[in-house]
Amino acid sequence: MAKITFDGIEVEVPDGTTILNAARTIGGGIVPPAMCYYTPLKGSGGKCRACLVRVAAGSAKDPRPMPKLVASCVTPVQDGMVVENTTSEQVLNVRKGIVEMLLINHPLDCPVCDQAGECDLQNFAFEHGVSTTRYEEERRTFEKIDIGPLIQLHMTRCILCYRCVYTADQLTEKRVHGVLGRGDAAEIGTYIENIIDNEFSGNVIDVCPVGALTDKTFRFKQRVWFTKPVNAHRDCENPKCCGKVVLWYKGKDVLRITARKDQYGEVKEWICNTCRFDKKETSDWTIEGPAHIDRSSVISANHYELPVLNAQVIADLPESSVRDLEQNPPMRLGN
Amino acid sequence: MGRKLLTEHINVEGIDTFEVYRKHGGYRSVEKAVKTMTPDEVVEEVKKSGLRGRGGAGFPTGLKWSFLAKPEGVPRYLVCNADESEPGTFKDRQLMSKLPHLLIEGMITSSYALGANTSYIYIRGELLYVLRILEKAIAEAYAAGFLGKNILGSGYDLDLYVHPGGGAYICGEETALLESLEGKRGNPRNKPPFPAVQGLYARPTVVNNVESIAAVPVIVNDGGDEYAKIGVGKSTGTKLISACGHLNKPGIYEIELGVPVEEFIYSDEYCGGIWKGRDLKAVVAGGSSVPILPKELILKTAAGENRLMTYESLSDGGFVTGTMLGSGGFIAMDETTCIVRNTWNFSRFYHHESCGQCSPCREGTGWLEKILHRLEHGHGNERDIDVLASVAKQIEGNTICPLGEAAAWPVSAAIRHFRDEFEWHVRYPQEATRPGAVFPGKAVLA
Amino acid sequence: MESTTAPVKPQFSEAAKAEIDRICKQYPEERRKSAMLPVLHIAQAEFGGWVAPEVQDLVAEVLGVKPIEVYEVSTFYTMFNLKPVGKHVLEICRTGPCQLRGSDELTLELERITGAKVGGGPSADGLFTLKEVECLAACGFAPVVQVREKYYEQLDTEASVNAMLSELRTMVHRPALPWEEKGLPNAIANN
Ligand SMILES: Cc1cc2nc3c(=O)[nH]c(=O)nc-3n(C[C@H](O)[C@H](O)[C@H](O)COP(=O)(O)O)c2cc1C
Ligand code: SF4
Ligand code: SF4
Ligand code: FES
Ligand code: FES
């Protein structure tokens, strides 16, 4: 076991635990944000740099501070380590910079994006960002493509967290999509074959932190904040599928089905495509009750913060959200 | 004349063949090491020599070797970094193509010291012709009993292979290099774990630059103490400097560390001064990643002392008034050079070479390049210079690998020392973008 | 030029197969994927200077990896041409030290002479593709152009540029690689 101090709070965790997971055992507002790390996916993390923290003392043995901020999601704790997150001005400033970087090439199309309302980037920007951008250059754009009949890839929104790649690698036998190209021209793609066809491929939708991979069977049917999430399960024939899902209702209709996420937005048990795409009748399921969507503040608080105010396209906002918007003007990006 | 420890025989006819190389004392270090020394004794000599990594970071080689994990029954590797892609640097290519056996000898002696039975030379893909030269030389070394099973009857086995890259600067970063050697994209790894514990194929691995490895035979032959006598302070031995840009005699020079920068630029023994009789404007002394310095600061430190070609002297003054020896890629610019153009060029390089894994570098390098492109082409605005400086700062220190810093430093330094020239581009775009335009001096801004 | 689909599945020559076998033995048996880059180089040399999707699939088959693993790599490294190219690909270094010694001017000159554009398709006569690349580790001999495995250096005079171009224009077969028999008719263009 290792004892560490995180933002002044002491916590003891098993050796080898990452700083991020140690912080999660404390919970609450001190937990660093994570845009690429995903506990169930081996090898994930370290890329987005959202979770950078300051190590003020490396360990009891060597109490020197670490020279640079470290990615808390991939850095293991040491006994006696002292970590600063929300207590460090430097960390908070750097994080603002990370938000800015992630947004410079991100399309400002939140109002028309399916993910709006449950987008990690939107939350991240809202909670940690600054409200202006200094970016005057042209944004990178890609054509959106269908990867099979069930999933759509809107690459322009991708933040290259690699989660979908690890998911396909670790959940399916034959990964057909990956990261092509490099630098800021890198993209998620399939090169020539363009069908992701596998019983577990749908999970890439759930792991995607932004609206880059979306459920085609749900697209444009409904804004997410109009839907009501309900936990349900069924006896799935597929031995690798847990059969435990969230049904997203509008009235009596199941609009879409997702795996269950924990408070950090992580799916701990995967579901198969049959459960996700083919069982859209209430009669297919045993209903457990309303799902608690904890951390996605945007949904649970029933308010919707647009990173961009774009009046023409948000005409369909519900009354409550409009009121909310008036009271809490969203941040403005762009000039 | 300084001593030439690596390149003494570089112009000998046929020195690329085993026979001629051997006649000139080649492979003595292998004989000495495997027959008369324990591996630890070899490591000890390298430690005593004070040799510092010649790939750019200048980390003491002996110390690095002593960190190598040695779990029982697990193979470990020595990988030579011959990716040489840092703009301004071309020494390894010269060394390998002209003296292939020197590197091979160094690889054998070093592998013995580390207890590696398989070693690789990772060479940048563009240098396939050098790979052919190395493979031919390796075949000769096998035939002569210096590679393979039971080398010189010592019981020590070593296989040595050359592996080509495919065109990616980032594969010079040691963990990207290892990924690439495993047949993957050159995405640097998060550290820890460090290669010394989990490197190639997750096994303990040492990665060293060509020139570092090539220095090992001399150190083993003459002893670490002898080697350490050359140079100044903690900058021991000789260093290959790749001199390029606006010099009368660009090329590779093996110098004893400690030569004054002024002598290196102007003496006929080295670069022979600035071309076309022009004046020197600035120097990037250690490959494109290190801070650029104006003439006054490259010749003399801020305190007015002569700047020497050593790790310490070049970095005197930190990044405020100093720079780094880096890889020894010495790029000289004459008085007509446009610093904005050059900074944009380097920024384009890093933008092009970022692997794209981490957000500050992936997005930030593109941002820097785009602003600099605008500035250079006469479309800058008042805010640009400050935004540049602050974006560079946002990248620095927050990335997975040092490419982020390498992209940020040249921009920060150019602004630090040549801010007037940037301002000129903003305020007088028409003049600044005229072909062949030369910054007339800060007086125009008054 | 649009990517042409090879009518028949491409196959490595016997010589190339032997070379690939030799290379694969350099890595631990379960690490055959390590041979990815060397095998891609061989593939590009064998199949007309570029790696078509079918060729990449062949590489995947030979290495026993998924095709996507090859695409991920071939698109990361700049040496692999993903579109058909002219007989000779002129890779012009554009980085700082070369720029200081005239690489921008050289590029314009080569565009003018060949009629090809950097980043575009091959010249009308099918002879040349122009490609800008980053530092080739020859900065002291700038400006520099690489064609296949050969470096052409100090191309700052008309004579040196012309010498390079006439050498390439008169070349019928690309130079044989070490594992190929000398004099083997190695077509340079797409075969
Ligand atoms: C972006 C980047 C590029 C690098 N390129 C090279 C290179 O081309 N050659 C090299 O020897 N080291 C290069 N390095 C340094 C290596 O990571 C590593 O420090 C070096 O190979 C260690 O060898 P040494 O201790 O003998 O210098 C690079 C580092 C970075 C971050
Ligand atoms: S598509 Fe989504 S999950 Fe995949 S890399 Fe992009 S942001 Fe991550
Ligand atoms: S700093 Fe740049 S090159 Fe290094 S890992 Fe991050 S994106 Fe890749
Ligand atoms: S969550 Fe740690 S770097 Fe992305
Ligand atoms: S800059 Fe052209 S070879 Fe280095």
Side-chain angles (χ1 to χ4, degrees):
Chain A
M1 296 295 278
K3 197 185 263 174
I4 73 158
T5 311
F6 191 101
D7 274 356
I9 305 163
E10 273 197 14
V11 60
E12 206 169 335
V13 290
D15 291 324
T17 308
T18 59
I19 297 175
L20 177 70
N21 281 332
R24 284 180 177 179
T25 65
I26 302 170
I30 54 101
V31 180
M35 298 295 296
C36 68
Y37 175 76
Y38 209 73
T39 313
L41 298 174
K42 208 171 141 262
S44 69
K47 301 191 194 315
C48 70
R49 318 305 281 176
C51 70
L52 290 178
V53 293
R54 178 166 183 272
V55 175
S59 66
K61 258 193 269 158
D62 182 358
R64 286 175 304 173
M66 291 194 183
K68 294 179 184 177
L69 302 188
V70 302
S72 59
C73 65
V74 288
T75 309
V77 298
Q78 302 286 338
D79 192 45
M81 189 182 256
V82 178
V83 184
E84 298 170 357
N85 178 31
T86 59
T87 52
S88 161
E89 195 73 24
Q90 183 197 0
V91 169
L92 298 178
N93 278 333
V94 164
R95 202 165 283 151
K96 275 187 200 145
I98 302 291
V99 172
E100 185 176 33
M101 293 293 190
L102 281 173
L103 288 180
I104 63 171
N105 271 307
H106 198 78
L108 303 178
D109 68 345
C110 306
V112 296
C113 173
D114 290 342
Q115 197 87 353
E118 54 178 355
C119 171
D120 290 348
L121 183 58
Q122 209 171 42
N123 291 345
F124 179 50
F126 183 70
E127 287 163 23
H128 303 280
V130 288
S131 55
T132 54
T133 179
R134 303 170 295 168
Y135 193 68
E136 302 175 15
E137 325 303 320
E138 211 168 294
R139 282 165 207 273
R140 172 184 64 216
T141 54
F142 296 88
E143 296 290 314
K144 61 181 167 214
I145 54 169
D146 289 338
I147 38 183
L150 305 170
I151 303 168
Q152 187 167 67
L153 170 64
H154 204 319
M155 181 58 213
T156 307
R157 297 174 183 151
C158 170
I159 60 161
L160 285 170
C161 70
Y162 283 60
R163 283 180 186 172
C164 59
V165 180
Y166 293 119
T167 304
D169 229 13
Q170 292 167 30
L171 251 58
T172 68
E173 296 278 284
K174 245 189 94 199
R175 176 166 68 91
V176 299
H177 87 291
V179 179
L180 306 179
R182 75 175 185 213
D184 63 6
E187 59 179 308
I188 296 294
T190 54
Y191 202 49
I192 44 172
E193 286 166 279
N194 59 4
I195 305 254
I196 298 192
D197 177 21
N198 178 280
E199 255 304 278
F200 285 85
S201 61
N203 288 293
V204 298
I205 299 168
D206 288 341
V207 301
C208 184
V210 293
L213 289 167
T214 49
D215 183 339
K216 270 193 75 188
T217 63
F218 176 61
R219 287 200 79 250
F220 288 121
K221 279 226 179 92
Q222 203 50 264
R223 310 297 304 188
V224 67
W225 57 86
F226 289 132
T227 60
K228 192 175 112 202
V230 169
N231 283 341
H233 65 265
R234 62 183 280 269
D235 264 336
C236 182
E237 316 70 45
N238 192 321
K240 286 193 206 143
C241 173
C242 72
K244 288 186 258 179
V245 302
V246 179
L247 305 177
W248 299 76
Y249 277 98
K250 166 77 176 172
K252 284 198 191 124
D253 299 330
V254 176
L255 293 187
R256 67 160 179 175
I257 297 166
T258 64
R260 291 191 199 167
K261 293 183 179 180
D262 69 6
Q263 58 177 324
Y264 298 111
E266 290 178 351
V267 171
K268 291 283 159 60
E269 292 179 290
W270 310 102
I271 61 169
C272 69
N273 284 5
T274 308
C275 285
R276 182 185 303 272
F277 298 116
D278 299 339
K279 301 287 174 192
K280 296 230 170 132
E281 300 299 328
T282 302
S283 57
D284 293 328
W285 299 94
T286 309
I287 304 294
E288 298 168 20
H292 291 285
I293 309 293
D294 273 350
R295 200 175 188 248
S296 269
S297 54
V298 173
I299 307 181
S300 55
N302 192 29
H303 71 181
Y304 174 47
E305 315 292 355
L306 290 169
V308 204
L309 196 55
N310 190 339
Q312 297 103 312
V313 267
I314 51 168
D316 64 340
L317 272 184
E319 280 278 297
S320 62
S321 300
V322 173
R323 232 179 0 247
D324 246 36
L325 275 173
E326 278 163 14
Q327 281 157 14
N328 294 309
M331 43 190 215
R332 272 172 179 279
L333 297 183
N335 301 309
Chain B
M1 269 294 261
R3 276 204 274 167
K4 307 268 182 275
L5 301 184
L6 308 183
T7 58
E8 188 186 349
H9 304 300
I10 200 162
N11 291 320
V12 172
E13 182 80 22
I15 196 74
D16 59 338
T17 63
F18 179 84
E19 213 189 323
V20 177
Y21 180 74
R22 183 84 173 121
K23 257 196 216 126
H24 285 80
Y27 288 100
R28 269 190 301 140
S29 76
V30 177
E31 284 178 307
K32 182 169 175 187
V34 303
K35 289 190 178 158
T36 70
M37 296 169 82
T38 65
D40 285 345
E41 282 167 359
V42 179
V43 176
E44 205 43 48
E45 288 307 314
V46 174
K47 272 191 181 165
K48 277 197 251 166
S49 74
L51 174 68
R52 292 167 67 171
R54 304 298 196 218
F59 192 83
T61 305
L63 195 59
K64 181 189 257 188
W65 288 10
S66 66
F67 292 154
L68 183 67
K70 295 183 175 162
E72 201 59 47
V74 179
R76 39 188 187 265
Y77 297 105
L78 171 63
V79 178
C80 174
N81 188 341
D83 190 59
E84 190 166 67
S85 312
E86 171 91 358
T89 318
F90 49 102
K91 64 191 174 77
D92 297 340
R93 166 185 175 230
Q94 291 291 92
L95 202 66
M96 289 186 290
S97 56
K98 299 219 165 132
L99 288 165
H101 284 286
L102 177 62
L103 176 60
I104 294 164
E105 177 180 355
M107 285 300 283
I108 301 168
T109 308
S110 306
S111 299
Y112 173 74
L114 296 166
N117 299 110
T118 307
S119 294
Y120 295 93
I121 299 171
Y122 180 101
I123 189 165
R124 61 178 298 180
E126 291 84 348
L127 296 181
L128 278 174
Y129 84 93
V130 182
L131 174 141
R132 316 274 180 232
I133 294 172
L134 285 169
E135 286 196 336
K136 191 162 153 272
I138 286 173
E140 290 177 335
Y142 268 102
F146 281 91
L147 276 170
K149 292 251 170 293
N150 194 16
I151 293 170
L152 304 181
S154 66
Y156 174 61
D157 307 334
L158 177 66
D159 284 313
L160 178 60
Y161 304 113
V162 194
H163 178 100
Y169 165 65
I170 190 56
C171 291
E173 194 279 337
E174 56 186 9
T175 59
L177 183 152
L178 297 174
E179 288 284 295
S180 183
L181 187 40
E182 292 181 6
K184 303 182 215 156
R185 299 161 59 79
N187 282 356
R189 299 174 181 167
N190 276 291
K191 283 144 272 187
F194 290 93
V197 180
Q198 278 184 39
L200 182 63
Y201 309 133
R203 291 161 176 169
T205 303
V206 164
V207 181
N208 271 128
N209 173 256
V210 171
E211 189 187 344
S212 314
I213 303 265
V216 170
V218 181
I219 292 165
V220 169
N221 286 340
D222 301 352
D225 289 332
E226 248 345 89
Y227 186 89
K229 283 183 192 156
I230 303 170
V232 179
K234 282 190 182 159
S235 298
T236 61
T238 63
K239 172 92 189 80
L240 297 177
I241 304 294
S242 317
C244 59
H246 296 152
L247 294 163
N248 276 325
K249 296 197 299 165
I252 304 291
Y253 297 96
E254 180 171 5
I255 61 162
E256 290 188 13
L257 285 166
V259 173
V261 174
E262 184 157 8
E263 179 183 339
F264 181 69
I265 296 176
Y266 292 102
S267 104
D268 279 333
E269 192 186 332
Y270 303 110
C271 305
I274 308 303
W275 76 342
K276 301 184 181 175
R278 290 184 186 154
D279 197 6
L280 176 67
K281 178 171 185 173
V283 168
V284 175
S288 62
S289 307
V290 311
I292 188 173
L293 288 182
K295 179 181 177 183
E296 319 79 75
L297 283 174
I298 188 68
L299 299 182
K300 298 235 188 300
T301 65
E305 282 166 24
N306 276 339
R307 193 78 83 179
L308 308 180
M309 299 286 277
T310 63
Y311 292 94
E312 293 74 23
S313 178
L314 283 168
S315 56
D316 183 290
F319 276 7
V320 181
T321 58
T323 179
M324 287 163 77
L325 177 60
S327 62
F330 194 91
I331 311 167
M333 300 174 199
D334 74 19
E335 56 191 323
T336 68
T337 309
C338 173
I339 299 296
V340 177
R341 184 166 190 76
N342 191 257
T343 311
W344 163 54
N345 182 296
F346 284 158
S347 263
R348 179 176 67 182
F349 172 81
Y350 292 105
H351 179 202
H352 186 258
E353 299 300 330
S354 163
C355 84
Q357 255 192 122
C358 60
S359 44
C361 170
R362 178 183 66 238
E363 307 297 343
T365 52
W367 195 355
L368 291 177
E369 193 216 324
K370 285 175 188 162
I371 299 178
L372 283 159
H373 181 272
R374 268 198 295 106
L375 273 172
E376 168 60 11
H377 292 85
H379 307 292
N381 64 45
E382 294 288 335
R383 288 198 316 175
D384 283 341
I385 303 171
D386 290 333
V387 174
L388 273 177
S390 110
V391 172
K393 241 175 120 187
Q394 258 164 265
I395 302 173
E396 197 181 327
N398 300 324
T399 54
I400 297 178
C401 89
L403 188 138
E405 272 102 73
W409 290 342
V411 175
S412 309
I415 295 176
R416 190 179 309 124
H417 298 298
F418 297 94
R419 193 173 175 112
D420 295 339
E421 205 168 328
F422 284 83
E423 301 261 355
W424 182 57
H425 277 71
V426 172
R427 285 167 53 190
Y428 300 96
Q430 275 177 339
E431 271 117 278
T433 54
R434 247 189 353 215
V438 178
F439 179 53
K442 72 192 287 169
V444 293
L445 298 172
Chain C
M1 215 188 285
E2 269 305 294
S3 138
T4 48
T5 314
V8 283
K9 195 180 154 202
Q11 285 298 337
F12 282 116
S13 65
E14 290 306 314
K17 278 186 197 153
E19 175 68 0
I20 290 169
D21 279 346
R22 180 188 76 88
I23 287 171
C24 286
K25 291 205 186 82
Q26 302 184 340
Y27 312 98
E29 227 172 281
E30 70 287 4
R31 297 288 184 165
R32 210 174 155 83
K33 185 175 174 179
S34 284
M36 179 81 77
L37 290 172
V39 172
L40 275 168
H41 282 299
I42 294 174
Q44 180 150 302
E46 285 255 304
F47 298 107
W50 70 296
V51 284
E54 299 79 10
V55 170
Q56 296 188 49
D57 290 347
L58 175 66
V59 170
E61 191 184 308
V62 165
L63 296 177
V65 301
K66 305 174 197 93
I68 185 70
E69 295 178 72
V70 179
Y71 312 149
E72 283 177 328
V73 169
S74 64
T75 57
F76 185 92
Y77 297 91
T78 53
M79 289 184 74
F80 304 111
N81 299 313
L82 304 174
K83 291 201 182 123
V85 290
K87 254 185 160 178
H88 309 288
V89 182
L90 271 50
E91 305 190 85
I92 312 160
C93 174
R94 67 177 188 185
T95 315
C98 275
Q99 190 179 55
L100 291 173
R101 309 264 320 201
S103 65
D104 290 345
E105 293 76 10
L106 173 65
T107 303
L108 289 175
E109 184 67 1
L110 288 172
E111 286 191 335
R112 191 185 63 76
I113 299 176
T114 64
K117 286 267 169 278
V118 165
S123 54
D125 56 10
L127 273 183
F128 300 109
T129 293
L130 300 186
K131 184 171 164 186
E132 274 186 338
V133 297
E134 301 292 355
C135 180
L136 288 168
C139 328
F141 320 103
V144 186
V145 167
Q146 173 167 32
V147 184
R148 278 177 293 271
E149 299 192 6
K150 182 161 178 180
Y151 276 53
Y152 295 88
E153 300 175 339
Q154 289 176 308
L155 297 172
D156 49 1
T157 60
E158 211 180 307
S160 57
V161 174
N162 286 341
M164 169 180 76
L165 291 175
S166 59
E167 178 178 318
L168 293 172
R169 284 206 168 98
T170 50
M171 192 183 279
V172 181
H173 303 303
R174 70 161 162 74
L177 294 163
W179 66 89
E180 295 171 332
E181 267 176 64
K182 292 260 174 351
L184 205 83
N186 303 301
I188 301 177
N190 308 352
N191 45 2

